[in-house]
Amino acid sequence: MVPELYLDANATSPVLTAAIAAAHAALEIDFGNPSSSHAAGLRARLILDDARARARRVLGAATGRVMFTSGATEGIQTAVLSALCAVRERRAAGEPCGDLLLYGATEHKAVPESLAHWNRILGTELTLQALPVDADGRHRLDLLRELAPRTAFLCTMAANNESGVVSDLDGIAAVLEQTGSPALWMVDCVQALGKLPLALDRTRIDYAPFSGHKLYAPKGVGMLYVRAGAPFTPLMCGGGQEGDQRSGTENMAGIAALGAVLRALEEGRTFRTHAQLLAVRERLAAALRAAFPAIEFNTPFEHALPTTLNFAVPGLSGKALLDLFDAAGIRVSAGSACSAAKAAPSYVLEAMALPDWRCANAVRLSVGPLLDDAFVDAACARIARCGEALHRKPLAASSSGDGRAGVYHCGLDGGWLVFDPKGGDCVAIDVPETQAGAAAALLQRHGYRLRAAFGAGAAALCAQVDADAGAWPADGETVRLADGTPATAIRLGRDLLVRRPGGGYLLGALEDGVLRQARLLFAHTPADTQDAGNAIVCLPMGIEAPSVERKPAELARYHLKHFFAEHPDALLIDVREACEHAAGAPTLQGRAAYSLPLSRLAEYAAWLRDEARPLLFFCRSGNRSLKAVQCLQGLGRERVWHLAGGLALLRN
Ligand code: PLP
């Protein structure tokens, strides 16, 4: 397995060794309840007080409230509840307080969701409004100037978790000041801790939530700063812990760990300086540019945290890039919310009005301030490997190099590209509109000419490649099928793609001018699959033959050793894309794997069906390998398994 390089620090970070030690001691030795008055309690109280004192120094908050929470989401709730209760009281007292709940358009979802929730629960009936950002991702101060006099509560973040854009907090404060705004102000400081200077006492900020797990403390601990004199309503009542501000017995392991991180921040020897992080970003950006020459960075570096790089590469979906990085052992995240099949475009990048393709295909690479040169060297080398792996063409000739047409399956939505690697011609069958962009990029990147496109998405694909290729080409030749019926055909290398009079398309080579036996049948509907003969059936929704109800043969990771002992001759097949295989060809139990991408499986399905050896498919997460198993089981193949959970669950 490729050792893991974690470059997703904005999602969460590993835990600092000193923080683990502090948590461990709080669990094992000083496990007392800080509210107890005996010695064990007093020792726990000391840990709590020490962590808070450090927090005050690190945040520059000698005055005001600093309380420990379960994380930023809780801090945000408390701030929103406090602000809205105050607005309700002010309004009841006839004081001017504004009618808007204004939040930055790129805020973390915790902010607008909490605003809407508490506005509804408390019946405050304020109007929620997003404050737009400019093309650089920074708040539109001109619009804030207009809205500030009406704003009851303003929520802006110090730095954005997706784009890394750093807000102009001084500019915002100046607008609030100049317009005499009645607004209370929350600044989500989650991504700022340890990366930007903080002197909360000297600002107009009323509420500032923090989260431990974004900076080397564990999940489930955070902090909330509340300016002295700012309204405050506790979210949780009970035993009166945290000075009656946040009841519930304290998460002492988490607080002790956060205390250790705060100590490291205060002492200043553990984390890299801003200048050093700028140099790290230069190196990572240079490596990315070299690996992906057409890369577009989505945020201007001069306004962004040096620890966050958000980018997109033309012709490569965010999912494809993520898979490629993952294969190379680099953990990054899609800049957009990804579900299994579809990537929703990033609302953060959309708010910056970036082109659609960049919003849909963004990838975020983020590091924490705790990294050394060896780590950066390794990350740059892996990025370079990803770039090289991309030279492995998905539309390459099959390994037998026998001049036959290749067949590529266009992802979960279905559709097929049938191509002649030598002649450079390609025919698209049932490529849906949703895949037209990706298919067009593939054809263009590898220099294929679209000769014809059939099915619902044909027009969209033709428009993308600027080809007038929709209809069956006039220069098609006439061939005979096995039963003597004439049919028209398009030549693709040694193979012919034949339009079957009964529906669907056959692919195969002629014998004496007759297509006696097709290799593949591309069907539009299950009805087209009648009389397929020996041909492998390719239905639009995937590589599926007539369905056979069979339990997927799952192999759990802890049974691998046993499996190989029982099936020493098993054929191990990596069904990820060829570039993923090249980026990090894995071995399982010391065994090398063949690369046979799921997207090319149809081409090899007959061979695999007839192969005597047991088959074990694997991929990144188990989704693609499951499809491969189902395909072969559908062809009646026995003794075929897939690795449940995929490579992701195998530890190095
Ligand atoms: N705000 C920002 C900017 C974040 O990045 C996150 C975490 O993703 C949160 C709030 C929520 O933090 P937590 O996980 O501590 O509740």
Side-chain angles (χ1 to χ4, degrees):
M1 291 296 297
V2 192
E4 185 166 273
L5 284 181
Y6 187 81
L7 294 165
D8 198 14
N10 288 11
T12 197
S13 63
V15 181
L16 192 69
T17 310
I20 296 173
H24 197 269
L27 291 167
E28 198 173 54
I29 306 163
D30 295 321
F31 57 82
N33 184 332
S35 299
S36 302
S37 48
H38 49 59
L42 294 179
R43 286 199 300 273
R45 162 72 48 190
L46 183 65
I47 295 173
L48 185 63
D49 291 345
D50 182 59
R52 198 182 327 274
R54 285 190 191 283
R56 285 195 177 281
R57 292 194 293 271
V58 169
L59 307 185
T63 61
R65 303 166 194 261
V66 172
M67 67 200 79
F68 291 107
T69 62
S70 64
T73 302
E74 183 191 324
I76 291 166
Q77 306 308 303
T78 311
V80 172
L81 176 68
S82 300
L84 293 197
C85 286
V87 168
R88 202 163 58 168
E89 281 166 28
R90 284 181 190 171
R91 203 159 47 186
E95 291 172 25
C97 58
D99 65 329
L100 289 184
L101 292 176
L102 191 63
Y103 61 93
T106 58
E107 288 295 299
H108 188 278
K109 282 292 172 207
V111 171
E113 291 297 323
S114 307
L115 289 172
H117 176 75
W118 290 107
N119 193 34
R120 194 171 54 244
I121 300 281
L122 298 174
T124 29
E125 292 182 359
L126 295 163
T127 306
L128 259 80
Q129 190 163 327
L131 175 64
V133 295
D134 61 18
D136 288 348
R138 303 191 109 196
H139 301 99
R140 290 273 306 270
L141 297 187
D142 55 329
L143 296 177
L144 178 61
R145 193 172 292 282
E146 278 171 32
L147 298 169
R150 285 180 50 207
T151 302
F153 187 34
L154 173 66
C155 301
T156 55
M157 60 204 326
N160 186 273
N161 47 307
E162 266 188 43
S163 64
V165 169
V166 177
S167 301
D168 176 8
L169 295 181
D170 289 342
I172 294 171
V175 171
L176 294 179
E177 194 64 39
Q178 289 154 11
T179 55
S181 171
L184 290 161
W185 185 20
M186 179 181 81
V187 177
D188 175 342
C189 287
V190 167
Q191 298 293 344
L193 187 65
K195 301 169 201 164
L196 294 172
L198 291 165
L200 292 172
D201 265 351
R202 285 194 258 129
T203 68
R204 189 198 179 283
I205 297 168
D206 294 296
Y207 308 97
F210 294 86
S211 176
H213 74 101
K214 306 292 180 171
L215 196 79
Y216 305 106
K219 290 152 197 71
V221 67
M223 299 181 285
L224 176 66
Y225 158 82
V226 183
R227 193 171 57 79
F232 180 75
T233 301
L235 178 69
M236 303 209 287
C237 298
Q241 287 88 346
E242 290 290 277
D244 239 355
Q245 304 169 125
R246 197 268 186 188
S247 286
T249 303
E250 294 85 349
N251 165 12
M252 287 307 299
I255 292 170
L258 182 54
V261 173
L262 291 166
R263 178 186 190 141
L265 281 172
E266 206 183 355
E267 292 177 350
R269 287 190 300 270
T270 307
F271 298 117
R272 290 225 157 176
T273 63
H274 190 76
Q276 288 170 328
L277 291 172
L278 286 174
V280 166
R281 176 170 68 187
E282 274 319 304
R283 289 198 58 202
L284 291 172
L288 286 166
R289 282 193 195 98
F292 312 106
I295 193 169
E296 300 265 9
F297 289 100
N298 289 328
T299 18
F301 283 0
E302 66 272 27
H303 293 314
L305 291 173
T307 46
T308 305
L309 288 149
N310 190 307
F311 56 88
V313 178
L316 278 178
S317 71
K319 167 93 174 64
L321 266 173
L322 215 69
D323 287 347
L324 177 61
F325 279 118
D326 221 34
I330 300 178
R331 310 295 174 235
V332 293
S333 82
S336 53
C338 250
S339 71
K342 304 221 181 325
S346 155
Y347 70 92
V348 170
L349 302 181
E350 280 183 338
M352 293 163 66
L354 292 185
D356 290 350
W357 73 269
R358 278 163 68 180
C359 299
N361 297 311
V363 166
R364 177 188 69 188
L365 182 160
S366 54
V367 294
L370 182 75
L371 77 185
D372 57 19
D373 289 341
F375 182 90
V376 182
D377 291 346
C380 291
R382 297 277 184 92
I383 292 168
R385 191 146 126 202
C386 289
E388 284 155 21
L390 269 185
H391 297 306
R392 294 289 292 265
K393 297 187 174 80
L395 301 188
S398 56
S399 50
S400 55
D402 56 3
R404 305 188 100 174
V407 178
Y408 177 86
H409 183 238
C410 301
L412 289 174
D413 286 347
W416 307 87
L417 298 175
V418 189
F419 57 94
D420 168 17
K422 219 161 172 200
D425 280 336
C426 177
V427 175
I429 300 173
D430 290 326
V431 174
E433 231 177 290
T434 49
Q435 294 294 326
L442 207 58
L443 296 182
Q444 280 161 346
R445 193 142 45 92
H446 300 301
Y448 277 93
R449 189 173 47 245
L450 186 66
R451 272 197 72 194
F454 314 121
L461 180 58
C462 290
Q464 292 260 0
V465 295
D466 212 8
D468 181 19
W472 190 259
D475 59 352
E477 44 191 286
T478 303
V479 298
R480 287 203 176 276
L481 303 182
D483 63 2
T485 327
T488 53
I490 302 173
R491 186 167 288 279
L492 290 165
R494 247 187 71 197
D495 277 328
L496 280 111
L497 184 71
V498 180
R499 184 150 61 170
R500 204 169 66 144
Y505 303 90
L506 295 165
L507 183 73
L510 296 188
E511 292 166 46
D512 310 324
V514 179
L515 184 68
R516 289 191 207 287
Q517 197 182 317
R519 281 202 286 148
L520 294 166
L521 162 64
F522 300 95
H524 291 296
T525 65
D528 296 345
T529 62
Q530 303 296 323
D531 309 322
N534 274 337
I536 301 289
V537 174
C538 306
L539 277 165
M541 283 313 289
I543 312 161
E544 287 159 26
S547 73
V548 181
E549 276 301 318
R550 236 183 274 241
K551 195 173 161 296
E554 293 200 338
L555 183 71
R557 66 184 200 278
Y558 41 84
H559 284 148
L560 263 178
K561 201 169 170 188
H562 182 241
F563 174 84
F564 285 128
E566 212 170 293
H567 305 286
D569 57 337
L571 210 54
L572 191 54
I573 299 173
D574 181 354
V575 295
R576 299 173 304 162
E577 285 303 305
C579 61
E580 291 172 69
H581 183 81
T587 54
L588 296 189
Q589 301 280 321
R591 285 162 171 259
Y594 288 90
S595 170
L596 202 177
L598 181 67
S599 56
R600 302 289 298 271
L601 191 67
E603 226 174 301
Y604 298 89
W607 174 72
L608 289 172
R609 179 192 57 198
D610 301 336
E611 164 63 47
R613 286 171 285 180
L615 305 175
L616 174 61
F617 294 115
F618 70 87
C619 64
R620 185 173 73 102
S621 68
N623 286 337
R624 286 176 278 184
S625 54
L626 173 63
K627 282 215 137 252
V629 165
Q630 286 169 338
C631 164
L632 282 171
Q633 285 184 334
L635 298 175
R637 167 74 208 228
E638 307 268 349
R639 301 208 309 153
V640 54
W641 290 265
H642 88 112
L643 181 64
L647 293 172
L649 299 189
L650 299 182
R651 290 240 171 70
N652 296 318

